[in-house]
Amino acid sequence: MRKIQLTAKTQKDILDTLLKRSPNNYGQYEAVVADIIDRVRNRGDEAVFDYTKQFDKWDIQADTVRVSAEEIREAFAEMDAAFIGVMERAASNITAFHKKQLHNSWIDPKPDGSILGQKITPIAVSGVYVPGGKAAYPSSVLMNVLPAKVAGVRKIVMTTPAGADGKVNPGTLAAAKIAGVDEIYKVGGAQAIAAMAFGTQSIPKVDKITGPGNIFVALAKKACFGYVSIDSIAGPSEILVIADETANPRYVAADLLSQAEHDELASAILITTSEALADQVSAEIEKFLQELSRADIIRKSLDNYGYQLIAASMDDAIEAANAIASEHLEILTKDPYQVMTRIENAGAIFLGEYSSEPLGDYYAGPNHILPTNGTAKFFSPLTVDDFVKKTSIISYSRQALEQAHQDIELFAEKEGLTAHANSVRVRFQ
């Protein structure tokens, strides 16, 4: 990790470097993705099966594209019973947290006979994309599916690539069963996104697509937005730790590495008011790298996007954290709650030395699908609200409209929309 004094210039340079990792900067792949989407949209199963054979190296057919009940039973049998129990407890925590996000429809009647309200309706069909192979994460299955279940989505469809043997990662299937997925299809990549966005002979069209994936998946979601809703265009993982001289350097090092191990594009940043702490953290990182299985990936991540920023004051540290707007933000200071009140931009905030980031990835309950690449300035984590529609309700009596009709007619006429004005005026002629 590079140790740098935090200044306005170094902050800007770091922001520019981090933003280069955004999927918005991978335009060279857009034409390939557009071609895949166009072929799937026009040729359906035929295109999906061709791409699956080309990219995933197995000969998929209409009678094997959907995961069977027997395959799910086999996946459960393969899984460690203790891990099944952990996933079930995590699912319980995630469900409980998201239930607190539910909102009810409401009606507000007034004495003049007007009624205003809002009707909340779950989307009908939700689609979930789950990466396969070495990047199989059962936790993402739980985080994508359970908010939809809590929201009341009637049908949840999942796509995930199979291996060359036509089998799906058993952890993915077990998590899907625990979460309550209705249908699972053995399709990955941009072709899976297109299949859910437009529907094929075998794979149903959905209303919303959520879930992480590689650059082709991210660009496919971006291209299909508008035909379906999506959660976000996810970028590489990130963690930012604000720490002072009271922080435990071993904990800080461990937490930074927890995100750096995702891939070479992951970002791990420490902002501290203590240069002595930064040096101690560097020493602890080197110790951990002697024993961690993904040390090579971690080193590349830290070399490219790892920073130790030495701030002159906690005010400067907080200002920089808000500018970076990290996906995960840990606060390891003497008074983390006081610092937290001044944080405006972060996907998720972790307070105190026993609230390490993996707690949010797997178990606590808040969603781990979070805004990345600075988008925490205007985006939120995945919530129940992502799986419902809010419809406005308006009902006026004659008495209520009579009090307002001249205002409405004047407004419409000032905009040159005389038919609008007439639609109200005819009721009082």
Side-chain angles (χ1 to χ4, degrees), residues 13-86:
D13 290 344
I14 290 169
L15 287 172
D16 289 344
T17 299
L18 295 178
L19 288 173
K20 291 176 183 177
R21 307 171 310 139
S22 169
N24 291 324
N25 292 322
Y26 287 85
Q28 67 268 37
Y29 302 112
E30 288 181 349
V32 174
V33 170
D35 183 61
I36 291 172
I37 292 171
D38 185 64
R39 289 188 65 202
V40 171
R41 186 177 185 182
N42 290 299
R43 295 170 53 193
D45 275 359
E46 178 188 353
V48 171
F49 297 168
D50 284 349
Y51 283 125
T52 300
K53 189 170 184 178
Q54 178 182 344
F55 298 133
D56 298 332
K57 311 303 181 186
W58 76 288
D59 192 10
I60 189 174
Q61 300 294 331
D63 59 348
T64 57
V65 64
R66 182 172 173 179
V67 173
S68 67
E70 178 59 29
E71 287 175 295
I72 294 173
R73 284 192 292 270
E74 290 176 359
F76 260 82
E78 288 183 41
M79 296 298 296
D80 176 20
F83 183 43
I84 293 291
V86 168

Side-chain angles (χ1 to χ4, degrees), residues 346-361:
I349 300 173
F350 301 78
L351 301 172
E353 63 182 11
Y354 293 105
S355 303
S356 61
E357 188 279 334
L359 185 65
D361 276 349

Side-chain angles (χ1 to χ4, degrees), residues 176-218:
K177 176 66 174 177
I178 290 168
V181 175
D182 297 292
E183 299 175 8
I184 307 171
Y185 296 90
K186 303 176 185 178
V187 180
Q191 60 271 23
I193 302 301
M196 289 192 285
F198 299 105
T200 73
Q201 294 85 344
S202 298
I203 301 171
K205 175 179 172 23
V206 304
D207 300 310
K208 179 156 193 161
I209 299 174
T210 66
N214 62 20
I215 188 62
F216 295 98
V217 170

